[in-house]
């Protein structure tokens, strides 16, 4: 039997290559009504553009029917139809390959190799928790999700700034945001000396208010080393302050390579204090600064100041990464709420709604039950994260604060966790049946008969959820475009497909030997669904729930 992970992108690439030179033609079907007949389609109009009369040569049809290659799914048939060229896979063989190696499909398709370190910087985390605005909260959640996705992809990630306010750290823990804390700020003395030299050279005379060191010409800084690209053309002069230098010190300390970053030419880690309190390091070897990419995740109102900070960092610190990107999150509006609504107030509102929905479902108030405290916290964090992350981060987001928190609503994080709990309940039911002697032990996946998986929803779960998940993780970890909305939308659709299947199919059937084969094959499929669901939730910092 063939081995290796099957991939949808590899299969699509092989299908397009088999048609000969030209752009991509094939696409993957995702709708249930189309998947009843085919898995991939090359539309007739695209074939006419490729082959003139639209008639696909016989040699090409033979090549498609015999398609093979690393990661390419086995083909059952390829035939012309009124819609175009339709291709169907050998579904039983695909089930066998995928469900025989479930773990390979809950990880990124292409782990990073030789990727640069990434410094994720979120300026919003310098705010006091009670002053944290909804737009800033969105930036924090995007940065946290991106950090987890990059690490799952094997990328080394540093986070800045380290949070010094213990109340902000406690709030981040409530939201399941994993961010470093620090008791003391990084030292800015070396940067201060360098900055004084720069502003003196610029000729800024006169007494300055306390905390202000002088001004610099930002246009001149932007013109150096190709820095003008992407800079606001209205930037003129900037004021260098002690607060600005403290922010630069945080970035400098986070960008320094540490013991876990053994790349040659990157210099040494910070001094004994670990806060960058040693003198500025000597200039790194040529190209060494390119080994770190700084990504600033921020709200729109923070962008102008961050551009100034970028320019000053590069001017004052020869170790500053040349590659710096801005991921600017769009504004957040809350319908029916004052514009002054803060992030902690938003969290408390969602927590109260989760408790009220639970009391309605269970017929009693569980807010004082210690066993439910953690569950309510997880549900509230899930609700907020799915609201904030289900749309592309660059666009405007409108929150409906009066929205129902029902676990049956197919739009929220509570719905995803509800179906996570249903899966846990299903496997607990199998385990109880096994202990009572009603069900057989679970055999090796290689001994299961996956040809028994004929129900429409089973192929839908495998083809739309398990099989594409590794590619989804890889796309989420791509810094270009930063599509941090993909995981949330994927998990909601997965939960909807699973819920539909679970409501229609009785997985744990009667304890009759002639039904055990199909039951075990279905359980293996749902085990793969569960692993994908858990891996997706992990990129959001959300633990799975076993009951709800």
């Amino acid at each position: 039997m063939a081995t290796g992970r099957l991939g949808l992108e590899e299969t699509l690439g092989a299908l397009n290559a088999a048609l000969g030179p030209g752009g991509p033609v094939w696409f993957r079907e995702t709708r249930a009504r189309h998947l009843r007949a085919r898995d991939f389609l090359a539309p007739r109009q695209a074939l006419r553009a490729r082959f003139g009369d639209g008639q696909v040569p016989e040699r090409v049809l033979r090549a498609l029917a015999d398609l093979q290659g690393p990661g390419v799914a086995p083909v059952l048939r390829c035939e012309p139809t009124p819609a175009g060229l339709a291709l169907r896979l050998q579904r039983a063989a695909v089930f066998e390959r995928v469900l025989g190696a479930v773990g390979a499909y809950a990880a990124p398709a292409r782990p990073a190799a030789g990727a640069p370190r990434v410094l994720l910087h979120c300026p919003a985390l310098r705010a006091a928790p009670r002053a944290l605005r909804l737009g800033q909260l969105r930036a924090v959640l995007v940065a946290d999700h991106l950090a987890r996705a990059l690490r799952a992809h094997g990328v080394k990630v540093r986070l800045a700034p380290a949070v010094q306010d213990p109340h902000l750290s406690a709030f981040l823990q409530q939201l399941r945001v994993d961010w470093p804390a620090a008791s003391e700020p990084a030292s800015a003395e070396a940067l201060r000396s360098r900055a004084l030299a720069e502003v003196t050279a610029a000729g800024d005379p006169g007494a300055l208010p306390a905390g202000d060191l002088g001004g610099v010409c930002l246009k001149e800084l932007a013109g150096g080393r190709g820095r003008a690209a992407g800079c606001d053309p209205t930037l003129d002069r900037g004021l260098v302050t002690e607060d600005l230098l403290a922010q630069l010190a945080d970035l400098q300390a986070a960008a320094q390579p540490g013991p876990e970053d053994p790349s040659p030419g990157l210099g040494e880690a910070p001094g004994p204090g670990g806060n960058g309190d040693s003198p500025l390091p000597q200039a790194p070897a040529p190209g060494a600064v390119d080994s770190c990419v700084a990504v600033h995740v921020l709200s729109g109102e923070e962008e102008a100041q961050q551009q100034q900070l970028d320019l000053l960092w590069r001017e004052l610190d020869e170790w500053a990464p040349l590659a710096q990107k801005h991921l600017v999150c769009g504004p957040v509006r809350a319908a029916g709420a004052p514009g002054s609504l803060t992030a902690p107030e938003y969290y408390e509102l969602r927590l109260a709604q989760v408790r009220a929905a639970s009391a309605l479902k269970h017929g009693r108030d569980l807010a004082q039950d210690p066993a439910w405290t953690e569950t309510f916290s997880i549900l509230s964090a899930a609700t907020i994260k799915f609201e904030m992350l289900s749309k592309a981060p660059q666009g405007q987001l409108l929150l409906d604060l009066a929205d129902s928190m029902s676990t049956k609503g197919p739009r929220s994080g509570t719905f995803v966790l509800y179906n996570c709990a249903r899966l846990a309940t299903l496997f607990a039911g199998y385990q109880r049946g096994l202990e009572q002697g009603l069900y057989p032990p679970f055999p090796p996946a290689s001994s299961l008969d996956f040809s028994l998986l004929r129900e429409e929803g089973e192929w839908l779960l495998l083809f739309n959820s398990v099989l594409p998940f590794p590619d989804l993780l890889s796309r989420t970890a791509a810094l270009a475009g930063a599509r941090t909305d993909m995981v949330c939308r994927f998990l909601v659709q997965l939960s909807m497909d699973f819920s539909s299947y679970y409501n229609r199919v009785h997985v744990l059937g009667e304890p009759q030997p002639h039904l055990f084969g199909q039951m075990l094959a279905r359980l293996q499929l749902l085990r793969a669904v569960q692993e994908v669901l858990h891996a997706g939730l992990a990129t959001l910092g959300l633990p799975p729930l076993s009951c709800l």
Side-chain angles (χ1 to χ4, degrees), residues 334-337 346 349-350 353 387 399-406 411:
Y346 170 48
L349 173 65
R350 287 305 188 215
Q353 290 173 329
E387 281 182 314
L399 301 177
D400 184 359
L401 298 183
D403 199 10
S404 170
M405 304 303 297
S406 169
R411 292 181 295 150

Side-chain angles (χ1 to χ4, degrees), residues 23-88:
V25 172
W26 291 91
F27 70 86
R28 176 173 68 95
E29 296 286 11
T30 57
R31 296 185 177 180
R33 63 188 181 93
H34 292 147
L35 287 171
R36 291 168 193 150
R38 61 183 184 249
D39 300 314
F40 298 92
L41 179 71
R44 180 169 295 279
Q45 185 175 359
L47 292 174
R48 286 198 187 102
R50 177 67 64 89
F51 296 107
D53 59 359
Q55 295 297 316
V56 181
E58 188 63 31
R59 59 177 176 78
V60 173
L61 290 175
R62 287 196 302 270
L64 289 167
D66 296 334
L67 203 65
Q68 293 182 3
V72 176
V75 175
L76 177 63
R77 61 174 180 268
C78 181
E79 56 192 7
T81 69
L85 205 56
L87 184 139
R88 186 180 172 99

Side-chain angles (χ1 to χ4, degrees), residues 379-452:
L379 289 174
S380 302
T383 298
I384 291 171
K385 288 191 173 188
F386 273 78
E387 281 182 314
M388 289 278 184
L389 298 173
S390 289
K391 290 189 177 180
Q394 297 85 352
Q396 178 173 309
L397 180 64
L398 180 64
L399 301 177
D400 184 359
L401 298 183
D403 199 10
S404 170
M405 304 303 297
S406 169
T407 57
K408 299 296 180 67
R411 292 181 295 150
S412 70
T414 53
F415 175 71
V416 174
L417 290 178
Y418 168 70
N419 283 284
C420 183
R422 294 173 90 182
L423 275 165
T425 301
L426 173 70
F427 284 105
Y430 166 75
Q431 185 62 33
R432 286 194 302 271
L434 175 63
E435 293 168 357
Q436 295 168 7
L438 300 177
Y439 299 138
F442 211 93
S446 58
S447 66
L448 295 174
D449 183 1
F450 294 111
S451 66
L452 298 172

Side-chain angles (χ1 to χ4, degrees), residues 54-362:
Q55 295 297 316
V56 181
E58 188 63 31
R59 59 177 176 78
V60 173
L61 290 175
R62 287 196 302 270
L64 289 167
D66 296 334
L67 203 65
Q68 293 182 3
V72 176
V75 175
L76 177 63
R77 61 174 180 268
C78 181
E79 56 192 7
T81 69
L85 205 56
L87 184 139
R88 186 180 172 99
L89 299 177
Q90 298 178 29
R91 294 187 173 181
V94 174
F95 272 122
E96 184 177 1
R97 289 276 298 275
V98 174
L99 300 183
V102 168
Y105 295 86
R110 292 170 295 280
R117 291 180 294 118
V118 173
L119 167 60
L120 281 177
H121 172 229
C122 189
L125 289 171
R126 293 188 175 89
R130 290 293 167 186
L132 195 67
R133 300 184 299 275
L134 294 180
Q136 292 176 308
L137 174 62
R138 187 186 194 186
V140 171
L141 297 180
V142 167
D144 177 64
H145 177 44
L146 186 56
R148 294 175 190 273
L150 287 166
R151 284 170 173 157
H153 202 61
V155 177
K156 292 185 174 66
V157 178
R158 298 287 186 84
L159 302 175
V163 176
Q164 297 177 39
D165 188 324
H167 299 291
L168 181 55
S169 289
F171 180 60
L172 295 179
Q173 289 171 10
Q174 287 180 312
L175 289 170
R176 269 60 187 176
V177 170
D178 185 14
W179 207 270
S183 57
E184 297 290 338
S187 172
E189 283 305 310
L191 286 170
R192 189 176 187 277
S193 300
R194 185 77 175 266
L196 286 173
E198 293 289 337
V199 297
T200 300
D204 290 321
L208 292 169
D212 294 352
L213 303 180
V216 293
C217 181
L218 297 176
K219 283 187 176 181
E220 290 181 4
L221 297 185
R225 293 196 294 172
R227 299 167 183 166
C231 283
D232 184 347
T234 64
L235 284 177
D236 188 6
R237 292 193 65 78
L239 186 64
V240 181
T241 66
E242 295 286 2
D243 180 66
L244 205 62
L245 290 182
Q247 296 179 44
L248 286 176
D250 286 338
L251 289 171
Q252 183 190 54
Q256 292 276 354
E260 73 278 17
D261 303 313
S263 302
L266 288 180
E268 300 300 324
N275 294 322
D277 51 359
S278 57
L280 279 172
Q282 296 180 352
V289 287
D290 293 336
S291 66
C292 179
V293 176
V295 181
H296 307 283
V297 186
L298 59 158
S299 58
E301 56 264 33
E302 296 166 325
E303 184 176 16
Q305 182 174 355
Q306 186 58 50
Q307 287 193 2
Q308 177 180 342
L309 196 67
D310 292 355
L311 294 171
L312 286 173
W313 189 15
R314 290 166 173 167
E315 183 67 19
L316 301 179
D317 181 8
E318 58 265 45
W319 281 73
L322 293 179
Q324 296 195 38
K325 303 175 183 292
H326 285 201
L327 174 53
V328 182
C329 298
V332 179
R333 304 282 184 263
S340 59
L341 183 72
T342 65
E345 290 169 342
Y346 170 48
Y347 175 83
E348 291 300 327
L349 173 65
R350 287 305 188 215
L351 178 60
Q353 290 173 329
V354 164
R355 287 171 174 168
S358 180
L360 187 63
K361 176 182 177 181
H362 295 279

